[in-house]
Amino acid sequence: MTRLPAPTRSRPPRRSEISSSVHARRPSGTGSVLGAILDHGPVARSTVARLTGLSPASVTGHVGQLLSRGLVRQSAETSGPRGLGRPHVPLEIDTSRFLVAGAHIAVAHSTVSLMDLRGRVVAEDRRPHTGTNPRLVLDGLAARLPLLTAGHAAGRQVLALGVATGHRVDPAAGVVVEHPHLGWRAVPVREILAAATGLPVHVDSHSRALARAEQMFGEVSTRRSTVLLFVGAVVDAAFATSGELHRGPRSGAGSVAHLPLGAGGSGDAEPCRCGRTGCLQSEVSERAMIRRAAEQSLYVESFQELLDHAMAGEPRAVALFRRRARLVGRAAALLLDMFDPECLVVVEPGAGRLPECLADLREEVGMRSWVCDDPEGAVVPSSFTGTVLATAGGAVALDALYTDPLGPWPALPAVS
């Protein structure tokens, strides 16, 4: 049994204590072909060759391997214009044979999900934590997966388990480096869950997972470059360009929780656990929203209950979400100016479900950003509103599959 360090809220690990990991994740030639089929399928081999820049002979070879592994299938033949030319046999992703599993570990609860190879959530199961001891949480996730698979896989085999959570995650080592809200430090998530489930396990931060999900299955404008800002109980960000995610040598990229925003225009900046006031996370986190609601005599037991009130039009709840949207807009403007991406994705339920919140956020970006001249086009809500947490874990596994489809996937037929 792997021994875990006791949960602690001691100082963050120093840079010298964290190994520098190499994260080169460029897709192989077969991965490029699989990605083109995902994006454009059903699609002819000749079109795949044009899209990837590979020779027709190379595409034919890669397609043969993908067919043998059961990752793609051939559709019905089609002819050229007016029946001229050789028939085409379009290719598409085969969603009938395999699934991936996902697990998202939040501050108050965890979500286990199943996802098909086109990134569609098949089933999910969310439950509150009964404690935050790492072994308790991870063993619970592993125990729930067989039940979900038995009820919803419909004969399809699970290829791998992807795990996503907030704060600092080292995907190369499969370790949660630090999650202060849970009291986790140096938790070997991959090792524990691989032993418990028998599956290949891939681990990453939820913001990077969702940025990759956008590029694989979501908003088309995110394909070239995107910044994703995740706002929940934890606040963090991710930056992706040309299909690659920037992680940093110690997996620390995207730590925006302590961006200084100041108060929301009323001189009442929230104190932060770092000792300062007005940090992004302390101002807009779910905990801060619930506390501010109570100050206005709007008492709720959970953030979801507060969101439900806002969606029902309760004025105090709506006002809180609009205030949050403007503060998130400040952070979004900073990130747009720092990275100048094609698109900034905001993963925040108010922006995804309340039109006035998205409008407020974009207005704030328009007033504050020096480089963004089209907030309505550049700032978009998540493509996965309503299934964000179920998507995050599965996206970690699918990212690994689409990057290296010929890699060591025990459930797939061997590559000839």
Side-chain angles (χ1 to χ4, degrees):
M1 178 180 295
T2 303
R3 295 180 65 85
L4 294 173
T8 177
R9 293 188 181 275
S10 60
R11 63 163 176 80
R14 296 189 178 97
R15 281 178 173 256
S16 60
E17 298 172 339
I18 304 171
S19 61
S20 178
S21 301
V22 177
H23 297 296
R25 296 287 307 278
R26 291 185 181 278
S28 62
T30 312
S32 297
V33 169
L34 184 61
I37 296 170
L38 172 67
D39 271 347
H40 301 279
V43 61
R45 288 170 174 80
S46 58
T47 304
V48 172
R50 177 175 56 81
L51 292 167
T52 60
L54 299 170
S55 70
S58 293
V59 169
T60 295
H62 293 309
V63 167
Q65 292 177 312
L66 293 171
L67 287 167
S68 70
R69 301 212 93 179
L71 298 176
V72 302
R73 63 187 175 195
Q74 300 182 125
S75 302
E77 290 187 359
T78 61
S79 299
R82 300 179 181 273
L84 300 177
R86 297 175 60 186
H88 296 289
V89 182
L91 301 160
E92 60 185 346
I93 301 297
D94 190 345
T95 59
S96 67
R97 299 177 63 180
F98 302 109
L99 300 169
V100 296
H104 180 271
I105 303 167
V107 173
H109 51 76
S110 60
T111 303
V112 180
S113 62
L114 296 174
M115 183 181 287
D116 73 16
L117 299 193
R118 291 198 62 84
R120 296 173 296 210
V121 175
V122 173
E124 65 175 291
D125 172 50
R126 184 178 304 174
R127 299 186 189 181
H129 295 316
T130 57
T132 58
N133 177 276
R135 174 65 70 175
L136 179 68
V137 173
L138 297 175
D139 284 350
L141 289 173
R144 287 154 57 189
L145 182 55
L147 298 174
L148 197 67
T149 302
H152 300 279
R156 291 172 286 187
Q157 190 168 1
V158 175
L159 292 177
L161 170 63
V163 184
T165 191
H167 289 294
R168 201 162 173 186
V169 181
D170 182 347
V175 169
V176 173
V177 177
E178 186 183 35
H179 196 308
H181 286 79
L182 293 174
W184 290 16
R185 192 167 185 265
V187 178
V189 171
R190 176 190 296 155
E191 178 184 339
I192 294 169
L193 286 177
T197 65
L199 293 170
V201 177
H202 302 270
V203 186
D204 209 340
S205 78
H206 56 205
S207 55
R208 290 193 291 258
L210 290 165
R212 191 69 182 101
E214 290 288 346
Q215 293 199 317
M216 290 189 292
F217 314 112
E219 176 66 40
V220 173
S221 62
T222 66
R223 294 295 195 271
R224 293 180 62 185
S225 65
T226 186
V227 169
L228 182 136
L229 179 57
F230 184 99
V231 182
V234 173
V235 179
D236 48 24
F239 175 61
T241 182
S242 300
E244 292 197 46
L245 292 157
H246 177 64
R247 294 180 171 89
R250 282 155 291 273
S251 301
S255 300
V256 299
H258 299 289
L259 280 179
L261 296 184
S266 57
D268 58 347
E270 288 276 347
C272 181
R273 63 192 306 155
C274 72
R276 296 176 293 184
T277 57
C279 293
L280 173 61
Q281 182 163 278
S282 66
E283 286 288 339
V284 303
S285 71
E286 293 178 359
R287 182 180 298 177
M289 292 283 284
I290 292 172
R291 190 187 72 77
R292 286 187 176 274
E295 288 176 349
Q296 299 182 34
S297 300
L298 180 57
Y299 300 104
V300 295
E301 294 185 0
S302 67
F303 178 81
Q304 181 61 51
E305 186 179 348
L306 181 61
L307 177 61
D308 291 342
H309 279 302
M311 293 178 64
E314 206 286 330
R316 292 167 295 179
V318 171
L320 285 170
F321 275 93
R322 295 190 69 172
R323 176 186 182 275
R324 188 194 211 197
R326 290 205 168 272
L327 291 172
V328 172
R330 293 187 188 186
L334 288 171
L335 294 172
L336 284 163
D337 289 354
M338 289 171 64
F339 293 102
D340 191 20
E342 292 283 335
C343 180
L344 185 140
V345 180
V346 180
V347 183
E348 192 278 322
R353 300 185 181 188
L354 301 170
E356 58 268 45
C357 288
L358 183 58
D360 288 344
L361 195 158
R362 286 170 168 166
E363 182 179 1
E364 197 76 17
V365 166
M367 291 189 298
R368 293 179 178 272
S369 173
W370 291 94
V371 303
C372 180
D373 55 7
D374 180 22
E376 290 193 7
V379 180
V380 299
S382 170
S383 300
F384 311 104
T385 297
T387 60
V388 164
L389 304 185
T391 297
V396 177
L398 288 177
D399 179 26
L401 177 66
Y402 277 92
T403 299
D404 187 17
L406 301 186
W409 299 92
L412 295 179
V415 179
S416 57

